[in-house]
Amino acid sequence: MESNSNQAKHAWRILILLFLANLLNFFDRTIPAIIIEPIRHEWDLSDLQLGIVGSAFTVIYAIAGLPLGRLADSWSRKKIIGWGLAIWSTFTALNGYAWNYLSFVSVRMGVGIGEASYAPAANSLIGDLFPSHKRARAVGIFMLGLPLGLVLAFFTVGAMVKAFGTWRAPFFIAALPGVLLSIFFFFIREPERGAAESIQVSKVPPTQPIKKVLRIPTMWWIILSGLTFNFAAYAVNSFLVSLLQRYYHFTLVKAAITTGFIVGITGLIGLTVGGWIADKIHQRSERGRLLFGAFNLFVSGILILLALLQSEEMVLFFSLLLGFGWLLSYNYYTCVYPAIQDVIEPRLRATAMAIYFAAMYLLGGAAGPAVVGWFSDYLTRSAMLRSGTSEMTEQFKAIGLHDSLYLIPVTVLLTSLFVFLGSKSFAKDASEMKRSLEGKT
């Protein structure tokens, strides 16, 4: 029998691979947000069309995630991850060959199918590798792939475009490490379902899995929180570089690097420190972890609102307020993701994550860029009409985009409310999950 020390080392080795794949996941999906202005000018696109680029990816990601999540509860998770990583990396390279707007969007949908395989299988693996009292820290390290992927993308993609003279170059460069990393997943040793639980888990597949997941009150609040949080996150990631270029007159490279600090570097602190604090709080109070997340999200929403109220000349204060607000928002992941593992039995966790991701991406992540893009176009036309001119200038586009982003603090504050409401039913649902496992042994 393998010693606890060897089991722990094995768990951490797999977690490192999962972190690296998550980093590439968010690097690849972030590239279009950085080259948004060059493709807007090349194909003469509106903000709604730019938003649809992200929304089309997210819709297919959410739809494909449901069957792939169910598959991860019954088939080899390492193979699902390996093949998914290889597929999305291949489609990332194909994005560099897009010849018009429609072809670009179509290939992004292919990337979405590949990436949809990843999160449910990866989160299911983490639930079987780490016990409940260590999951927030493990999830925090896994989710470091998000800000590091963003940082790497925002710090390098602009330089790649400048060095090669084309927005297509980053897609080709990004594909190679993904294909290489995918090979490693086929050789890991996958843990048994429920291996990290203190109670032995039945090997019989549960009946009516989706119905069982949706019977849990906490899951409904978590799903609603994912919807509003992803609305905010995907809208910011899609349009912040463009806002800095239009409203604050930054160059592409400067705007990308500034965005990397605001939404990327902050995540390194939020996820590492936040995960450690969340685990400590969870050891003292079952619902404390979710209350910690709700409080951080409330303060985050206020800071983001204050950032948007800064004038055009106060770009430094805008960046500091938005960056600190975004740092606090990262505690969403370290508080909510482990909570899902605690209220869902092991053989349903990938299914639960797939349902959660379907809602948060289809209704949140997909809606965010499209709604903000549409609202930006609407406010741009309104500003133009109020001025009494018929000429659409970059100044009006800057005002329209800036004002449309007031939707962000609203959705972050709603996320805080939903997480708080989830904390009220969490203890009961976690206890019922443990009792259901005891009844199956």
Side-chain angles (χ1 to χ4, degrees), residues 150-165:
L150 297 182
V151 167
L152 194 60
F154 285 121
F155 281 19
T156 64
V157 168
M160 291 179 199
V161 173
K162 186 175 181 180
F164 290 93

Side-chain angles (χ1 to χ4, degrees), residues 354-421:
I355 293 169
Y356 168 64
F357 283 131
M360 75 186 293
Y361 284 107
L362 192 59
L363 301 175
V371 170
V372 169
W374 169 84
F375 197 34
S376 172
D377 289 338
Y378 170 80
L379 293 174
T380 297
R381 289 191 296 271
S382 297
M384 184 182 71
L385 291 173
R386 285 196 305 270
S387 72
T389 180
S390 59
E391 184 182 358
M392 180 69 72
T393 66
E394 288 296 309
Q395 182 183 4
F396 293 131
K397 287 181 178 291
I399 293 170
L401 180 57
H402 174 272
D403 291 353
S404 70
L405 290 176
Y406 279 107
L407 291 172
I408 306 307
V410 173
T411 48
V412 171
L413 290 171
L414 281 173
T415 306
S416 172
L417 174 62
F418 294 143
V419 173
F420 171 75
L421 293 171

Side-chain angles (χ1 to χ4, degrees), residues 7-245:
Q7 286 178 344
K9 289 179 181 177
H10 176 67
W12 281 99
R13 282 194 293 267
I14 294 178
L15 183 63
I16 290 170
L17 285 177
L18 292 173
F19 153 74
L20 291 172
N22 211 29
L23 185 153
L24 294 176
N25 182 336
F26 284 96
F27 184 96
D28 293 354
R29 74 172 68 178
T30 303
I31 297 173
I34 300 169
I35 51 98
I36 190 171
E37 288 296 288
I39 66 171
R40 176 172 76 92
H41 290 294
E42 180 168 331
W43 293 326
D44 193 24
L45 305 176
S46 67
D47 281 346
L48 175 58
Q49 288 174 306
L50 294 174
I52 287 173
V53 172
S55 297
F57 164 90
T58 309
V59 166
I60 199 70
Y61 180 97
I63 293 172
L66 278 170
L68 289 168
R70 286 292 302 125
L71 185 64
D73 273 332
S74 58
W75 195 53
S76 169
R77 290 167 289 186
K78 67 179 185 180
K79 291 181 181 177
I80 291 171
I81 293 172
W83 283 115
L85 179 51
I87 289 169
W88 95 57
S89 298
T90 301
F91 272 98
T92 295
L94 292 175
N95 246 143
Y97 291 105
W99 60 93
N100 59 19
Y101 174 71
L102 184 60
S103 66
F104 189 88
V105 172
S106 299
V107 175
R108 291 308 296 170
M109 293 171 73
V111 177
I113 293 173
E115 292 196 5
S117 66
Y118 183 64
N123 278 279
S124 176
L125 277 176
I126 291 172
D128 290 336
L129 290 167
F130 296 91
S132 177
H133 66 282
K134 293 183 178 179
R135 280 182 193 143
R137 193 171 1 173
V139 168
I141 291 170
F142 168 69
M143 288 305 299
L144 278 176
L146 193 167
L148 280 173
L150 297 182
V151 167
L152 194 60
F154 285 121
F155 281 19
T156 64
V157 168
M160 291 179 199
V161 173
K162 186 175 181 180
F164 290 93
T166 174
W167 56 260
R168 301 172 187 273
F171 292 106
F172 301 130
I173 296 169
L176 183 58
V179 174
L180 294 175
L181 182 62
S182 68
I183 299 169
F184 287 89
F185 280 98
F186 293 101
F187 296 97
I188 66 172
R189 180 162 47 81
E190 194 170 325
E192 291 186 9
R193 315 276 173 170
E197 303 300 327
S198 56
I199 302 168
Q200 187 177 357
V201 176
S202 170
K203 297 184 183 299
V204 179
T207 57
Q208 298 181 310
I210 295 176
K211 190 174 181 180
K212 284 186 175 179
V213 169
L214 295 178
R215 279 178 183 163
I216 301 168
T218 304
M219 273 303 300
W220 280 100
W221 293 119
I222 287 176
I223 287 169
L224 286 172
S225 75
L227 190 158
T228 51
F229 186 74
N230 244 27
F231 182 104
Y234 271 66
V236 168
N237 290 343
S238 295
F239 286 109
L240 185 53
V241 172
S242 188
L243 177 74
L244 289 169
Q245 288 182 267

Side-chain angles (χ1 to χ4, degrees), residues 292-429:
F292 174 67
F295 174 76
N296 278 279
L297 287 160
F298 176 78
V299 177
S300 171
I302 299 300
L303 291 173
I304 294 168
L305 176 61
L306 291 174
L308 290 169
L309 289 172
Q310 301 303 306
S311 66
E312 185 179 338
E313 295 77 23
M314 303 294 285
V315 63
L316 178 60
F317 287 101
F318 166 82
S319 300
L320 290 173
L321 287 166
L322 183 57
F324 190 52
W326 218 244
L327 184 154
L328 294 176
S329 77
Y330 272 103
N331 285 302
Y332 175 81
Y333 298 108
T334 58
C335 295
V336 169
Y337 281 29
I340 296 174
Q341 309 278 4
D342 290 342
V343 299
I344 301 293
E345 62 177 279
R347 294 194 68 87
L348 286 174
R349 283 174 182 162
T351 298
M353 292 305 295
I355 293 169
Y356 168 64
F357 283 131
M360 75 186 293
Y361 284 107
L362 192 59
L363 301 175
V371 170
V372 169
W374 169 84
F375 197 34
S376 172
D377 289 338
Y378 170 80
L379 293 174
T380 297
R381 289 191 296 271
S382 297
M384 184 182 71
L385 291 173
R386 285 196 305 270
S387 72
T389 180
S390 59
E391 184 182 358
M392 180 69 72
T393 66
E394 288 296 309
Q395 182 183 4
F396 293 131
K397 287 181 178 291
I399 293 170
L401 180 57
H402 174 272
D403 291 353
S404 70
L405 290 176
Y406 279 107
L407 291 172
I408 306 307
V410 173
T411 48
V412 171
L413 290 171
L414 281 173
T415 306
S416 172
L417 174 62
F418 294 143
V419 173
F420 171 75
L421 293 171
S423 74
K424 298 173 76 67
S425 59
F426 173 79
K428 181 182 177 182
D429 290 341

